[in-house]
Amino acid sequence: MTLLERFHDHDIRALSRLITFVENREEGFRQLLGRLYPKTGGALRIGVTGPPGAGKSTLVNGLTKELLREGRTIGIIAVDPTSPFTGGALLGDRVRMNELPSDGRVFFRSMATRGATGGLAAATDNVAVLYDAYGFDFVLIETVGVGQVEMDIINACDVVVVVIVPESGDAIQMLKAGLTEIADVFCINKSDRPGAQRLAADLKYTLELRGSSQPAASTARFAHTLLPCAGHEHGHKPAVVQTEATTGKNVDALHRAIGEFIKRGHETSTFEQRRRQRLCAKITEILNVRFQSEFVNHVAGEQDILGEIDNIIAGQTNPYEVGDRLYRRFREQ
Ligand SMILES: Nc1nc2c(ncn2[C@@H]2O[C@H](COP(=O)(O)OP(=O)(O)OP(=O)(O)O)[C@@H](O)[C@H]2O)c(=O)[nH]1
Ligand SMILES: [Mg+2]
């Protein structure tokens, strides 16, 4: 049997091998993903994001158990679990994963920031495509919620769970950080700590005030993509759930809140719209990467840019002129 046949036959080791193949961007990885693409669309992607140490891994673990109880299968991607803030979390993740069954119903993979050539968001998406084609019901993606890359990962999810803790600040800060725009479900974890109740009330009040005046999440989510995708999502007000991930308290309520969002998402065209937008973003990204590498490799060349930087510092030119010149040379080639 070929590797691909074993993959289709639900051989978990074949899945693991193909992930490595795709992660290393080995010769032919794009063709492989292309061939598998028609088999995708069956898995729902749930993104879990939030500040370092908020309890995302513990919650993903708890949610996985809830989903398993429902008879679902789950592929997990932990993006950069070795955050510099909580160093050694990777080991913790491994320990937690050991609690999960090893009969193929769950598969776990972590993606390190280091060495992710071609972009972490793209690499994460590629693994999600493999999970989807493999036949998992759910893809759970854990990522630390800072920066554009993480936003790109989160935007590529069907459902976004934002995890915060009582120490995360007040609702106005959530609003400013754009969290209220991306959250489908808010999870206030570490609710055993003081301030959780107040934060929950504060957040609910703020979300209530915001009401439907908020532009559709899709507008904010995909503002950067090349191809405009019109579409309206249902005016959803994110649920606010308080959990205690370590004891498992209320993780079932979080699971229910996600379930309700999923139900509404299917009833309305939310998931359909998000999938379309995701594909727009994916195509834009493929073009960006190709143009960028073509430009940098074949035309500009590092030496050119280094020389131009000397010239800028010497006051002979400026970044705008240099950009224009390099671009023109590229076009005229
Ligand atoms: N008190 C309390 N501690 C918790 C709770 N949930 C998680 N923790 C603890 O918080 C720490 C971080 O938990 P993780 O699940 O690794 O958090 P994370 O968000 O995945 O962390 P990073 O991936 O490193 O950003 C661990 O020591 C957990 O045991 C909770 O509900 N209450
Ligand atoms: Mg973690």
Side-chain angles (χ1 to χ4, degrees), residues 16-30 33 109 111 114-118 123 126-127 130:
S16 181
R17 291 263 306 275
L18 285 188
I19 291 176
T20 306
F21 176 79
V22 164
E23 265 186 336
N24 295 340
R25 300 170 78 81
E26 280 173 42
E27 180 81 36
F29 87 94
R30 275 197 201 88
L33 290 172
R109 188 77 165 207
M111 313 272 305
R114 275 166 310 205
T117 42
N126 290 341
V127 175
L130 283 175

mmCIF file with all atom_site columns, all heavy atoms in Angstrom, residues 16-30 33 109 111 114-118 123 126-127 130:
data_model
loop_
_atom_site.group_PDB
_atom_site.id
_atom_site.type_symbol
_atom_site.label_atom_id
_atom_site.label_alt_id
_atom_site.label_comp_id
_atom_site.label_asym_id
_atom_site.label_entity_id
_atom_site.label_seq_id
_atom_site.pdbx_PDB_ins_code
_atom_site.Cartn_x
_atom_site.Cartn_y
_atom_site.Cartn_z
_atom_site.occupancy
_atom_site.B_iso_or_equiv
_atom_site.pdbx_formal_charge
_atom_site.auth_seq_id
_atom_site.auth_comp_id
_atom_site.auth_asym_id
_atom_site.auth_atom_id
_atom_site.pdbx_PDB_model_num
ATOM 1   N N   . SER A 1 16  ? 0.697  10.943 10.272 1.00 0.00 ? 16  SER A N   1
ATOM 2   C CA  . SER A 1 16  ? 1.850  11.574 10.904 1.00 0.00 ? 16  SER A CA  1
ATOM 3   C C   . SER A 1 16  ? 2.970  11.815 9.886  1.00 0.00 ? 16  SER A C   1
ATOM 4   O O   . SER A 1 16  ? 3.573  12.890 9.845  1.00 0.00 ? 16  SER A O   1
ATOM 5   C CB  . SER A 1 16  ? 2.322  10.671 12.042 1.00 0.00 ? 16  SER A CB  1
ATOM 6   O OG  . SER A 1 16  ? 3.399  11.258 12.686 1.00 0.00 ? 16  SER A OG  1
ATOM 7   N N   . ARG A 1 17  ? 3.212  10.820 9.038  1.00 0.00 ? 17  ARG A N   1
ATOM 8   C CA  . ARG A 1 17  ? 4.261  10.958 8.021  1.00 0.00 ? 17  ARG A CA  1
ATOM 9   C C   . ARG A 1 17  ? 3.919  12.065 7.030  1.00 0.00 ? 17  ARG A C   1
ATOM 10  O O   . ARG A 1 17  ? 4.780  12.854 6.640  1.00 0.00 ? 17  ARG A O   1
ATOM 11  C CB  . ARG A 1 17  ? 4.422  9.631  7.254  1.00 0.00 ? 17  ARG A CB  1
ATOM 12  C CG  . ARG A 1 17  ? 5.019  8.494  8.065  1.00 0.00 ? 17  ARG A CG  1
ATOM 13  C CD  . ARG A 1 17  ? 6.523  8.346  7.825  1.00 0.00 ? 17  ARG A CD  1
ATOM 14  N NE  . ARG A 1 17  ? 6.892  8.199  6.419  1.00 0.00 ? 17  ARG A NE  1
ATOM 15  C CZ  . ARG A 1 17  ? 6.894  7.046  5.756  1.00 0.00 ? 17  ARG A CZ  1
ATOM 16  N NH1 . ARG A 1 17  ? 6.540  5.931  6.368  1.00 0.00 ? 17  ARG A NH1 1
ATOM 17  N NH2 . ARG A 1 17  ? 7.248  7.001  4.497  1.00 0.00 ? 17  ARG A NH2 1
ATOM 18  N N   . LEU A 1 18  ? 2.651  12.128 6.625  1.00 0.00 ? 18  LEU A N   1
ATOM 19  C CA  . LEU A 1 18  ? 2.255  13.150 5.646  1.00 0.00 ? 18  LEU A CA  1
ATOM 20  C C   . LEU A 1 18  ? 2.338  14.548 6.255  1.00 0.00 ? 18  LEU A C   1
ATOM 21  O O   . LEU A 1 18  ? 2.670  15.515 5.567  1.00 0.00 ? 18  LEU A O   1
ATOM 22  C CB  . LEU A 1 18  ? 0.846  12.884 5.102  1.00 0.00 ? 18  LEU A CB  1
ATOM 23  C CG  . LEU A 1 18  ? 0.744  11.727 4.101  1.00 0.00 ? 18  LEU A CG  1
ATOM 24  C CD1 . LEU A 1 18  ? -0.637 11.671 3.477  1.00 0.00 ? 18  LEU A CD1 1
ATOM 25  C CD2 . LEU A 1 18  ? 1.795  11.841 2.992  1.00 0.00 ? 18  LEU A CD2 1
ATOM 26  N N   . ILE A 1 19  ? 2.054  14.663 7.549  1.00 0.00 ? 19  ILE A N   1
ATOM 27  C CA  . ILE A 1 19  ? 2.172  15.969 8.200  1.00 0.00 ? 19  ILE A CA  1
ATOM 28  C C   . ILE A 1 19  ? 3.635  16.429 8.134  1.00 0.00 ? 19  ILE A C   1
ATOM 29  O O   . ILE A 1 19  ? 3.917  17.576 7.763  1.00 0.00 ? 19  ILE A O   1
ATOM 30  C CB  . ILE A 1 19  ? 1.676  15.933 9.666  1.00 0.00 ? 19  ILE A CB  1
ATOM 31  C CG1 . ILE A 1 19  ? 0.159  15.733 9.705  1.00 0.00 ? 19  ILE A CG1 1
ATOM 32  C CG2 . ILE A 1 19  ? 2.026  17.245 10.382 1.00 0.00 ? 19  ILE A CG2 1
ATOM 33  C CD1 . ILE A 1 19  ? -0.411 15.582 11.106 1.00 0.00 ? 19  ILE A CD1 1
ATOM 34  N N   . THR A 1 20  ? 4.544  15.538 8.447  1.00 0.00 ? 20  THR A N   1
ATOM 35  C CA  . THR A 1 20  ? 5.959  15.891 8.402  1.00 0.00 ? 20  THR A CA  1
ATOM 36  C C   . THR A 1 20  ? 6.361  16.294 6.982  1.00 0.00 ? 20  THR A C   1
ATOM 37  O O   . THR A 1 20  ? 7.055  17.297 6.783  1.00 0.00 ? 20  THR A O   1
ATOM 38  C CB  . THR A 1 20  ? 6.817  14.696 8.871  1.00 0.00 ? 20  THR A CB  1
ATOM 39  O OG1 . THR A 1 20  ? 6.329  14.303 10.151 1.00 0.00 ? 20  THR A OG1 1
ATOM 40  C CG2 . THR A 1 20  ? 8.279  15.059 8.985  1.00 0.00 ? 20  THR A CG2 1
ATOM 41  N N   . PHE A 1 21  ? 5.883  15.538 6.013  1.00 0.00 ? 21  PHE A N   1
ATOM 42  C CA  . PHE A 1 21  ? 6.159  15.810 4.602  1.00 0.00 ? 21  PHE A CA  1
ATOM 43  C C   . PHE A 1 21  ? 5.702  17.228 4.219  1.00 0.00 ? 21  PHE A C   1
ATOM 44  O O   . PHE A 1 21  ? 6.428  17.985 3.599  1.00 0.00 ? 21  PHE A O   1
ATOM 45  C CB  . PHE A 1 21  ? 5.412  14.752 3.763  1.00 0.00 ? 21  PHE A CB  1
ATOM 46  C CG  . PHE A 1 21  ? 5.507  14.919 2.282  1.00 0.00 ? 21  PHE A CG  1
ATOM 47  C CD1 . PHE A 1 21  ? 6.637  14.513 1.592  1.00 0.00 ? 21  PHE A CD1 1
ATOM 48  C CD2 . PHE A 1 21  ? 4.449  15.472 1.562  1.00 0.00 ? 21  PHE A CD2 1
ATOM 49  C CE1 . PHE A 1 21  ? 6.714  14.655 0.215  1.00 0.00 ? 21  PHE A CE1 1
ATOM 50  C CE2 . PHE A 1 21  ? 4.519  15.628 0.184  1.00 0.00 ? 21  PHE A CE2 1
ATOM 51  C CZ  . PHE A 1 21  ? 5.659  15.212 -0.487 1.00 0.00 ? 21  PHE A CZ  1
ATOM 52  N N   . VAL A 1 22  ? 4.484  17.567 4.668  1.00 0.00 ? 22  VAL A N   1
ATOM 53  C CA  . VAL A 1 22  ? 3.912  18.871 4.335  1.00 0.00 ? 22  VAL A CA  1
ATOM 54  C C   . VAL A 1 22  ? 4.611  19.981 5.128  1.00 0.00 ? 22  VAL A C   1
ATOM 55  O O   . VAL A 1 22  ? 4.914  21.045 4.591  1.00 0.00 ? 22  VAL A O   1
ATOM 56  C CB  . VAL A 1 22  ? 2.386  18.861 4.584  1.00 0.00 ? 22  VAL A CB  1
ATOM 57  C CG1 . VAL A 1 22  ? 1.813  20.260 4.619  1.00 0.00 ? 22  VAL A CG1 1
ATOM 58  C CG2 . VAL A 1 22  ? 1.690  18.036 3.505  1.00 0.00 ? 22  VAL A CG2 1
ATOM 59  N N   . GLU A 1 23  ? 4.898  19.696 6.405  1.00 0.00 ? 23  GLU A N   1
ATOM 60  C CA  . GLU A 1 23  ? 5.576  20.697 7.248  1.00 0.00 ? 23  GLU A CA  1
ATOM 61  C C   . GLU A 1 23  ? 6.939  21.061 6.689  1.00 0.00 ? 23  GLU A C   1
ATOM 62  O O   . GLU A 1 23  ? 7.347  22.219 6.716  1.00 0.00 ? 23  GLU A O   1
ATOM 63  C CB  . GLU A 1 23  ? 5.768  20.130 8.666  1.00 0.00 ? 23  GLU A CB  1
ATOM 64  C CG  . GLU A 1 23  ? 4.675  20.527 9.611  1.00 0.00 ? 23  GLU A CG  1
ATOM 65  C CD  . GLU A 1 23  ? 4.987  20.056 11.026 1.00 0.00 ? 23  GLU A CD  1
ATOM 66  O OE1 . GLU A 1 23  ? 5.751  19.091 11.202 1.00 0.00 ? 23  GLU A OE1 1
ATOM 67  O OE2 . GLU A 1 23  ? 4.445  20.673 11.945 1.00 0.00 ? 23  GLU A OE2 1
ATOM 68  N N   . ASN A 1 24  ? 7.639  20.065 6.186  1.00 0.00 ? 24  ASN A N   1
ATOM 69  C CA  . ASN A 1 24  ? 8.974  20.320 5.632  1.00 0.00 ? 24  ASN A CA  1
ATOM 70  C C   . ASN A 1 24  ? 8.914  20.848 4.204  1.00 0.00 ? 24  ASN A C   1
ATOM 71  O O   . ASN A 1 24  ? 9.948  21.054 3.584  1.00 0.00 ? 24  ASN A O   1
ATOM 72  C CB  . ASN A 1 24  ? 9.815  19.038 5.658  1.00 0.00 ? 24  ASN A CB  1
ATOM 73  C CG  . ASN A 1 24  ? 10.084 18.585 7.070  1.00 0.00 ? 24  ASN A CG  1
ATOM 74  O OD1 . ASN A 1 24  ? 9.979  19.371 8.013  1.00 0.00 ? 24  ASN A OD1 1
ATOM 75  N ND2 . ASN A 1 24  ? 10.412 17.313 7.233  1.00 0.00 ? 24  ASN A ND2 1
ATOM 76  N N   . ARG A 1 25  ? 7.710  21.021 3.710  1.00 0.00 ? 25  ARG A N   1
ATOM 77  C CA  . ARG A 1 25  ? 7.496  21.498 2.350  1.00 0.00 ? 25  ARG A CA  1
ATOM 78  C C   . ARG A 1 25  ? 8.346  20.723 1.353  1.00 0.00 ? 25  ARG A C   1
ATOM 79  O O   . ARG A 1 25  ? 9.038  21.298 0.500  1.00 0.00 ? 25  ARG A O   1
ATOM 80  C CB  . ARG A 1 25  ? 7.794  23.007 2.267  1.00 0.00 ? 25  ARG A CB  1
ATOM 81  C CG  . ARG A 1 25  ? 6.900  23.824 3.200  1.00 0.00 ? 25  ARG A CG  1
ATOM 82  C CD  . ARG A 1 25  ? 7.343  25.251 3.300  1.00 0.00 ? 25  ARG A CD  1
ATOM 83  N NE  . ARG A 1 25  ? 6.939  26.053 2.152  1.00 0.00 ? 25  ARG A NE  1
ATOM 84  C CZ  . ARG A 1 25  ? 5.745  26.583 1.994  1.00 0.00 ? 25  ARG A CZ  1
ATOM 85  N NH1 . ARG A 1 25  ? 4.821  26.397 2.911  1.00 0.00 ? 25  ARG A NH1 1
ATOM 86  N NH2 . ARG A 1 25  ? 5.455  27.295 0.940  1.00 0.00 ? 25  ARG A NH2 1
ATOM 87  N N   . GLU A 1 26  ? 8.291  19.414 1.482  1.00 0.00 ? 26  GLU A N   1
ATOM 88  C CA  . GLU A 1 26  ? 9.078  18.575 0.581  1.00 0.00 ? 26  GLU A CA  1
ATOM 89  C C   . GLU A 1 26  ? 8.489  18.635 -0.818 1.00 0.00 ? 26  GLU A C   1
ATOM 90  O O   . GLU A 1 26  ? 7.323  18.957 -0.999 1.00 0.00 ? 26  GLU A O   1
ATOM 91  C CB  . GLU A 1 26  ? 9.110  17.125 1.115  1.00 0.00 ? 26  GLU A CB  1
ATOM 92  C CG  . GLU A 1 26  ? 10.128 16.966 2.243  1.00 0.00 ? 26  GLU A CG  1
ATOM 93  C CD  . GLU A 1 26  ? 10.070 15.612 2.910  1.00 0.00 ? 26  GLU A CD  1
ATOM 94  O OE1 . GLU A 1 26  ? 9.929  14.610 2.193  1.00 0.00 ? 26  GLU A OE1 1
ATOM 95  O OE2 . GLU A 1 26  ? 10.162 15.570 4.157  1.00 0.00 ? 26  GLU A OE2 1
ATOM 96  N N   . GLU A 1 27  ? 9.334  18.310 -1.768 1.00 0.00 ? 27  GLU A N   1
ATOM 97  C CA  . GLU A 1 27  ? 8.953  18.302 -3.183 1.00 0.00 ? 27  GLU A CA  1
ATOM 98  C C   . GLU A 1 27  ? 7.582  17.638 -3.381 1.00 0.00 ? 27  GLU A C   1
ATOM 99  O O   . GLU A 1 27  ? 7.404  16.480 -2.991 1.00 0.00 ? 27  GLU A O   1
ATOM 100 C CB  . GLU A 1 27  ? 10.052 17.527 -3.939 1.00 0.00 ? 27  GLU A CB  1
ATOM 101 C CG  . GLU A 1 27  ? 9.864  17.403 -5.431 1.00 0.00 ? 27  GLU A CG  1
ATOM 102 C CD  . GLU A 1 27  ? 10.316 18.648 -6.154 1.00 0.00 ? 27  GLU A CD  1
ATOM 103 O OE1 . GLU A 1 27  ? 11.314 19.241 -5.711 1.00 0.00 ? 27  GLU A OE1 1
ATOM 104 O OE2 . GLU A 1 27  ? 9.653  19.020 -7.142 1.00 0.00 ? 27  GLU A OE2 1
ATOM 105 N N   . GLY A 1 28  ? 6.652  18.363 -3.961 1.00 0.00 ? 28  GLY A N   1
ATOM 106 C CA  . GLY A 1 28  ? 5.347  17.768 -4.256 1.00 0.00 ? 28  GLY A CA  1
ATOM 107 C C   . GLY A 1 28  ? 4.299  17.946 -3.170 1.00 0.00 ? 28  GLY A C   1
ATOM 108 O O   . GLY A 1 28  ? 3.196  17.433 -3.280 1.00 0.00 ? 28  GLY A O   1
ATOM 109 N N   . PHE A 1 29  ? 4.639  18.730 -2.118 1.00 0.00 ? 29  PHE A N   1
ATOM 110 C CA  . PHE A 1 29  ? 3.658  18.843 -1.022 1.00 0.00 ? 29  PHE A CA  1
ATOM 111 C C   . PHE A 1 29  ? 2.401  19.595 -1.457 1.00 0.00 ? 29  PHE A C   1
ATOM 112 O O   . PHE A 1 29  ? 1.295  19.277 -1.027 1.00 0.00 ? 29  PHE A O   1
ATOM 113 C CB  . PHE A 1 29  ? 4.294  19.470 0.232  1.00 0.00 ? 29  PHE A CB  1
ATOM 114 C CG  . PHE A 1 29  ? 4.269  20.977 0.272  1.00 0.00 ? 29  PHE A CG  1
ATOM 115 C CD1 . PHE A 1 29  ? 3.232  21.652 0.928  1.00 0.00 ? 29  PHE A CD1 1
ATOM 116 C CD2 . PHE A 1 29  ? 5.248  21.720 -0.354 1.00 0.00 ? 29  PHE A CD2 1
ATOM 117 C CE1 . PHE A 1 29  ? 3.187  23.041 0.953  1.00 0.00 ? 29  PHE A CE1 1
ATOM 118 C CE2 . PHE A 1 29  ? 5.210  23.110 -0.338 1.00 0.00 ? 29  PHE A CE2 1
ATOM 119 C CZ  . PHE A 1 29  ? 4.177  23.773 0.317  1.00 0.00 ? 29  PHE A CZ  1
ATOM 120 N N   . ARG A 1 30  ? 2.573  20.580 -2.342 1.00 0.00 ? 30  ARG A N   1
ATOM 121 C CA  . ARG A 1 30  ? 1.395  21.337 -2.807 1.00 0.00 ? 30  ARG A CA  1
ATOM 122 C C   . ARG A 1 30  ? 0.456  20.456 -3.625 1.00 0.00 ? 30  ARG A C   1
ATOM 123 O O   . ARG A 1 30  ? -0.762 20.516 -3.464 1.00 0.00 ? 30  ARG A O   1
ATOM 124 C CB  . ARG A 1 30  ? 1.829  22.525 -3.671 1.00 0.00 ? 30  ARG A CB  1
ATOM 125 C CG  . ARG A 1 30  ? 2.185  23.729 -2.883 1.00 0.00 ? 30  ARG A CG  1
ATOM 126 C CD  . ARG A 1 30  ? 2.206  24.981 -3.745 1.00 0.00 ? 30  ARG A CD  1
ATOM 127 N NE  . ARG A 1 30  ? 3.015  25.981 -3.091 1.00 0.00 ? 30  ARG A NE  1
ATOM 128 C CZ  . ARG A 1 30  ? 4.326  26.102 -3.250 1.00 0.00 ? 30  ARG A CZ  1
ATOM 129 N NH1 . ARG A 1 30  ? 4.969  25.316 -4.075 1.00 0.00 ? 30  ARG A NH1 1
ATOM 130 N NH2 . ARG A 1 30  ? 4.996  27.012 -2.592 1.00 0.00 ? 30  ARG A NH2 1
ATOM 131 N N   . LEU A 1 33  ? -1.499 18.236 -1.263 1.00 0.00 ? 33  LEU A N   1
ATOM 132 C CA  . LEU A 1 33  ? -2.614 18.941 -0.616 1.00 0.00 ? 33  LEU A CA  1
ATOM 133 C C   . LEU A 1 33  ? -3.721 19.209 -1.624 1.00 0.00 ? 33  LEU A C   1
ATOM 134 O O   . LEU A 1 33  ? -4.902 19.102 -1.312 1.00 0.00 ? 33  LEU A O   1
ATOM 135 C CB  . LEU A 1 33  ? -2.124 20.243 0.024  1.00 0.00 ? 33  LEU A CB  1
ATOM 136 C CG  . LEU A 1 33  ? -1.232 20.080 1.259  1.00 0.00 ? 33  LEU A CG  1
ATOM 137 C CD1 . LEU A 1 33  ? -0.651 21.415 1.688  1.00 0.00 ? 33  LEU A CD1 1
ATOM 138 C CD2 . LEU A 1 33  ? -2.014 19.458 2.404  1.00 0.00 ? 33  LEU A CD2 1
ATOM 139 N N   . ARG A 1 109 ? -0.681 17.327 17.386 1.00 0.00 ? 109 ARG A N   1
ATOM 140 C CA  . ARG A 1 109 ? 0.558  17.769 16.758 1.00 0.00 ? 109 ARG A CA  1
ATOM 141 C C   . ARG A 1 109 ? 0.855  19.187 17.218 1.00 0.00 ? 109 ARG A C   1
ATOM 142 O O   . ARG A 1 109 ? -0.042 20.017 17.271 1.00 0.00 ? 109 ARG A O   1
ATOM 143 C CB  . ARG A 1 109 ? 0.368  17.754 15.244 1.00 0.00 ? 109 ARG A CB  1
ATOM 144 C CG  . ARG A 1 109 ? 1.623  18.007 14.483 1.00 0.00 ? 109 ARG A CG  1
ATOM 145 C CD  . ARG A 1 109 ? 2.503  16.756 14.463 1.00 0.00 ? 109 ARG A CD  1
ATOM 146 N NE  . ARG A 1 109 ? 3.518  16.911 13.458 1.00 0.00 ? 109 ARG A NE  1
ATOM 147 C CZ  . ARG A 1 109 ? 4.101  15.901 12.831 1.00 0.00 ? 109 ARG A CZ  1
ATOM 148 N NH1 . ARG A 1 109 ? 3.765  14.664 13.106 1.00 0.00 ? 109 ARG A NH1 1
ATOM 149 N NH2 . ARG A 1 109 ? 5.032  16.119 11.934 1.00 0.00 ? 109 ARG A NH2 1
ATOM 150 N N   . MET A 1 111 ? 3.075  22.725 16.578 1.00 0.00 ? 111 MET A N   1
ATOM 151 C CA  . MET A 1 111 ? 3.790  23.447 15.531 1.00 0.00 ? 111 MET A CA  1
ATOM 152 C C   . MET A 1 111 ? 4.681  24.478 16.200 1.00 0.00 ? 111 MET A C   1
ATOM 153 O O   . MET A 1 111 ? 4.176  25.366 16.883 1.00 0.00 ? 111 MET A O   1
ATOM 154 C CB  . MET A 1 111 ? 2.817  24.212 14.635 1.00 0.00 ? 111 MET A CB  1
ATOM 155 C CG  . MET A 1 111 ? 1.623  23.422 14.170 1.00 0.00 ? 111 MET A CG  1
ATOM 156 S SD  . MET A 1 111 ? 1.941  22.536 12.660 1.00 0.00 ? 111 MET A SD  1
ATOM 157 C CE  . MET A 1 111 ? 2.484  23.855 11.619 1.00 0.00 ? 111 MET A CE  1
ATOM 158 N N   . ARG A 1 114 ? 9.721  28.221 15.410 1.00 0.00 ? 114 ARG A N   1
ATOM 159 C CA  . ARG A 1 114 ? 11.017 28.073 14.753 1.00 0.00 ? 114 ARG A CA  1
ATOM 160 C C   . ARG A 1 114 ? 10.926 27.093 13.606 1.00 0.00 ? 114 ARG A C   1
ATOM 161 O O   . ARG A 1 114 ? 10.294 26.039 13.723 1.00 0.00 ? 114 ARG A O   1
ATOM 162 C CB  . ARG A 1 114 ? 12.037 27.541 15.756 1.00 0.00 ? 114 ARG A CB  1
ATOM 163 C CG  . ARG A 1 114 ? 12.665 28.624 16.581 1.00 0.00 ? 114 ARG A CG  1
ATOM 164 C CD  . ARG A 1 114 ? 13.358 27.946 17.709 1.00 0.00 ? 114 ARG A CD  1
ATOM 165 N NE  . ARG A 1 114 ? 12.400 27.007 18.327 1.00 0.00 ? 114 ARG A NE  1
ATOM 166 C CZ  . ARG A 1 114 ? 12.482 26.607 19.575 1.00 0.00 ? 114 ARG A CZ  1
ATOM 167 N NH1 . ARG A 1 114 ? 13.431 27.010 20.319 1.00 0.00 ? 114 ARG A NH1 1
ATOM 168 N NH2 . ARG A 1 114 ? 11.589 25.789 20.075 1.00 0.00 ? 114 ARG A NH2 1
ATOM 169 N N   . GLY A 1 115 ? 11.554 27.451 12.516 1.00 0.00 ? 115 GLY A N   1
ATOM 170 C CA  . GLY A 1 115 ? 11.672 26.509 11.408 1.00 0.00 ? 115 GLY A CA  1
ATOM 171 C C   . GLY A 1 115 ? 10.407 26.333 10.594 1.00 0.00 ? 115 GLY A C   1
ATOM 172 O O   . GLY A 1 115 ? 10.353 25.498 9.709  1.00 0.00 ? 115 GLY A O   1
ATOM 173 N N   . ALA A 1 116 ? 9.395  27.117 10.900 1.00 0.00 ? 116 ALA A N   1
ATOM 174 C CA  . ALA A 1 116 ? 8.176  27.011 10.093 1.00 0.00 ? 116 ALA A CA  1
ATOM 175 C C   . ALA A 1 116 ? 8.368  27.830 8.819  1.00 0.00 ? 116 ALA A C   1
ATOM 176 O O   . ALA A 1 116 ? 7.898  28.949 8.721  1.00 0.00 ? 116 ALA A O   1
ATOM 177 C CB  . ALA A 1 116 ? 6.961  27.487 10.875 1.00 0.00 ? 116 ALA A CB  1
ATOM 178 N N   . THR A 1 117 ? 9.078  27.254 7.868  1.00 0.00 ? 117 THR A N   1
ATOM 179 C CA  . THR A 1 117 ? 9.328  27.981 6.624  1.00 0.00 ? 117 THR A CA  1
ATOM 180 C C   . THR A 1 117 ? 8.020  28.185 5.873  1.00 0.00 ? 117 THR A C   1
ATOM 181 O O   . THR A 1 117 ? 7.157  27.320 5.886  1.00 0.00 ? 117 THR A O   1
ATOM 182 C CB  . THR A 1 117 ? 10.301 27.208 5.712  1.00 0.00 ? 117 THR A CB  1
ATOM 183 O OG1 . THR A 1 117 ? 9.941  25.842 5.765  1.00 0.00 ? 117 THR A OG1 1
ATOM 184 C CG2 . THR A 1 117 ? 11.737 27.389 6.130  1.00 0.00 ? 117 THR A CG2 1
ATOM 185 N N   . GLY A 1 118 ? 7.894  29.330 5.268  1.00 0.00 ? 118 GLY A N   1
ATOM 186 C CA  . GLY A 1 118 ? 6.696  29.580 4.474  1.00 0.00 ? 118 GLY A CA  1
ATOM 187 C C   . GLY A 1 118 ? 5.538  30.073 5.316  1.00 0.00 ? 118 GLY A C   1
ATOM 188 O O   . GLY A 1 118 ? 4.427  30.194 4.836  1.00 0.00 ? 118 GLY A O   1
ATOM 189 N N   . ALA A 1 123 ? 1.443  26.933 7.479  1.00 0.00 ? 123 ALA A N   1
ATOM 190 C CA  . ALA A 1 123 ? 1.783  25.588 7.946  1.00 0.00 ? 123 ALA A CA  1
ATOM 191 C C   . ALA A 1 123 ? 0.647  25.005 8.782  1.00 0.00 ? 123 ALA A C   1
ATOM 192 O O   . ALA A 1 123 ? 0.294  23.824 8.645  1.00 0.00 ? 123 ALA A O   1
ATOM 193 C CB  . ALA A 1 123 ? 3.075  25.631 8.757  1.00 0.00 ? 123 ALA A CB  1
ATOM 194 N N   . ASN A 1 126 ? -2.208 24.044 6.529  1.00 0.00 ? 126 ASN A N   1
ATOM 195 C CA  . ASN A 1 126 ? -1.930 22.814 5.789  1.00 0.00 ? 126 ASN A CA  1
ATOM 196 C C   . ASN A 1 126 ? -2.183 21.570 6.643  1.00 0.00 ? 126 ASN A C   1
ATOM 197 O O   . ASN A 1 126 ? -2.728 20.580 6.149  1.00 0.00 ? 126 ASN A O   1
ATOM 198 C CB  . ASN A 1 126 ? -0.476 22.814 5.289  1.00 0.00 ? 126 ASN A CB  1
ATOM 199 C CG  . ASN A 1 126 ? -0.273 23.839 4.187  1.00 0.00 ? 126 ASN A CG  1
ATOM 200 O OD1 . ASN A 1 126 ? -1.225 24.302 3.555  1.00 0.00 ? 126 ASN A OD1 1
ATOM 201 N ND2 . ASN A 1 126 ? 0.982  24.207 3.958  1.00 0.00 ? 126 ASN A ND2 1
ATOM 202 N N   . VAL A 1 127 ? -1.801 21.627 7.907  1.00 0.00 ? 127 VAL A N   1
ATOM 203 C CA  . VAL A 1 127 ? -2.056 20.481 8.793  1.00 0.00 ? 127 VAL A CA  1
ATOM 204 C C   . VAL A 1 127 ? -3.569 20.319 8.999  1.00 0.00 ? 127 VAL A C   1
ATOM 205 O O   . VAL A 1 127 ? -4.088 19.200 9.004  1.00 0.00 ? 127 VAL A O   1
ATOM 206 C CB  . VAL A 1 127 ? -1.316 20.629 10.146 1.00 0.00 ? 127 VAL A CB  1
ATOM 207 C CG1 . VAL A 1 127 ? -1.683 19.492 11.096 1.00 0.00 ? 127 VAL A CG1 1
ATOM 208 C CG2 . VAL A 1 127 ? 0.195  20.648 9.926  1.00 0.00 ? 127 VAL A CG2 1
ATOM 209 N N   . LEU A 1 130 ? -4.950 18.496 6.139  1.00 0.00 ? 130 LEU A N   1
ATOM 210 C CA  . LEU A 1 130 ? -4.674 17.056 6.247  1.00 0.00 ? 130 LEU A CA  1
ATOM 211 C C   . LEU A 1 130 ? -5.643 16.382 7.224  1.00 0.00 ? 130 LEU A C   1
ATOM 212 O O   . LEU A 1 130 ? -6.186 15.315 6.934  1.00 0.00 ? 130 LEU A O   1
ATOM 213 C CB  . LEU A 1 130 ? -3.231 16.822 6.705  1.00 0.00 ? 130 LEU A CB  1
ATOM 214 C CG  . LEU A 1 130 ? -2.127 17.008 5.662  1.00 0.00 ? 130 LEU A CG  1
ATOM 215 C CD1 . LEU A 1 130 ? -0.764 16.857 6.311  1.00 0.00 ? 130 LEU A CD1 1
ATOM 216 C CD2 . LEU A 1 130 ? -2.281 16.008 4.521  1.00 0.00 ? 130 LEU A CD2 1
#
